[in-house]
Amino acid sequence: MSTGLLALLDDVAAIAKVAAASIDDVAAQAAKAGAKAAGVVIDDAAVTPRYVVGFDASRELPIIGRIALGSLKNKFVILLPAALLLSAFAPWLITPLLVLGGIYLCFEGAEKVLEWVRPHPEQAQSSAVPTDAKQLEDTRVAGAIKTDFILSAEIMAIALATIPEAGIATQAATLAIVGAVITFAVYGVVALIVKADDAGVALVRRGYGAGAILVRGMPVVLKVLSVVGTLAMVWVGGGIILHGLEAFGLGALPHWVHDIAVAAGHGGGGAVVEWLVGAMLAGVAGLIVGAAAMPVLGRLLH
């Protein structure tokens, strides 16, 4: 009996080791996939705060909560099952869809850059704009969830492309972890950003001078975040397109970008300079693609 018990314990220990290894593998895959999607995440965090502008402070966190819930539904109810079906039955479609998403990111980034260079005059408010606060909130939340769907689709596609050889269970667990962590991280940061000025006002009322710095600094932080988000969009979009060209057998441009980045790194600065030059060239490629896509996508989406 003791021998049988020891054998059983050995079996349990072996199963536990396999389970632990699987968990570690999923965690590693999720971290890798999340890092690849970092540029889209930055843009998501940069875009969302604008949807709560103009509302009473008491409604800001509930609005962010509604958008976060919609984001989770986007990822878990629609995108995760769709990604798994795609991986199982049409894996050859992943790269083309990823490239299409990259073109969209480049288009969005190029539009924002164009607005910096040639700002549009403010137009008179349309009579179609809701005047009721509840209706306006519902409209804003719906718009935010629609934007989130596009960004979330790109995040999930990037994550899926990072783990093409993994089993279906690992893919599902990895996508679930990436989706949950990114959603809570993005909307947690957005909540902190949105409420930072309120915290600053509270500090000022209690006589703390740091509160005034916080109040004055938040508009600058939002502007910087917007710029970083835009640059991240064209960098990530351009990088996705370059990798897509290589996957389609059109590797001349991606290899040229890689060779220039490597040469710059060897010239001084090492891996940091190599990464910066590669990201800059990917961003330039992204801007060119985005500008070329504007006449078509601008008409279809606006």
Side-chain angles (χ1 to χ4, degrees), residues 8-24:
L8 178 60
L9 292 175
D10 284 342
D11 289 342
V12 171
I15 292 170
K17 287 180 181 178
V18 172
S22 299
I23 292 170
D24 287 343

Side-chain angles (χ1 to χ4, degrees), residues 114-256:
L114 183 62
E115 288 177 7
W116 297 345
V117 176
R118 194 179 62 193
H120 298 293
E122 292 187 9
Q123 298 176 346
Q125 290 186 344
S126 168
S127 58
V129 175
T131 55
D132 177 72
K134 178 66 168 64
Q135 186 183 358
L136 178 59
E137 179 178 321
D138 291 343
T139 301
R140 289 272 187 93
V141 168
I145 292 173
K146 185 184 297 183
T147 300
D148 174 272
F149 181 86
I150 297 170
L151 295 174
S152 292
E154 192 66 10
I155 289 169
M156 299 298 263
I158 292 171
L160 186 62
T162 308
I163 49 170
E165 305 301 326
I168 189 72
T170 300
Q171 287 182 338
T174 300
L175 292 178
I177 291 172
V178 169
V181 170
I182 283 179
T183 300
F184 286 112
V186 166
Y187 291 102
V189 169
V190 168
L192 289 175
I193 291 171
V194 167
K195 301 307 291 185
D197 55 349
D198 292 341
V201 170
L203 288 173
V204 169
R205 288 173 178 170
R206 294 184 180 184
Y208 294 101
I213 298 174
L214 191 59
V215 172
R216 289 196 295 267
M218 284 316 297
V220 177
V221 170
L222 289 173
K223 283 185 179 180
V224 170
L225 190 59
S226 177
V227 171
V228 171
T230 298
L231 296 179
M233 286 181 85
V234 294
W235 155 53
V236 172
I240 289 171
I241 291 167
L242 290 176
H243 286 303
L245 289 175
E246 197 167 10
F248 294 144
L250 305 172
L253 181 59
H255 291 161
W256 180 72

Side-chain angles (χ1 to χ4, degrees), residues 240-301:
I240 289 171
I241 291 167
L242 290 176
H243 286 303
L245 289 175
E246 197 167 10
F248 294 144
L250 305 172
L253 181 59
H255 291 161
W256 180 72
V257 169
H258 176 264
D259 291 343
I260 291 178
V262 169
H266 288 163
V272 174
V273 170
E274 180 180 335
W275 182 87
L276 286 173
V277 171
M280 182 184 68
L281 292 175
V284 171
L287 277 176
I288 293 171
V289 171
M294 284 175 67
V296 177
L297 291 183
R299 184 170 296 179
L300 290 175
L301 299 175

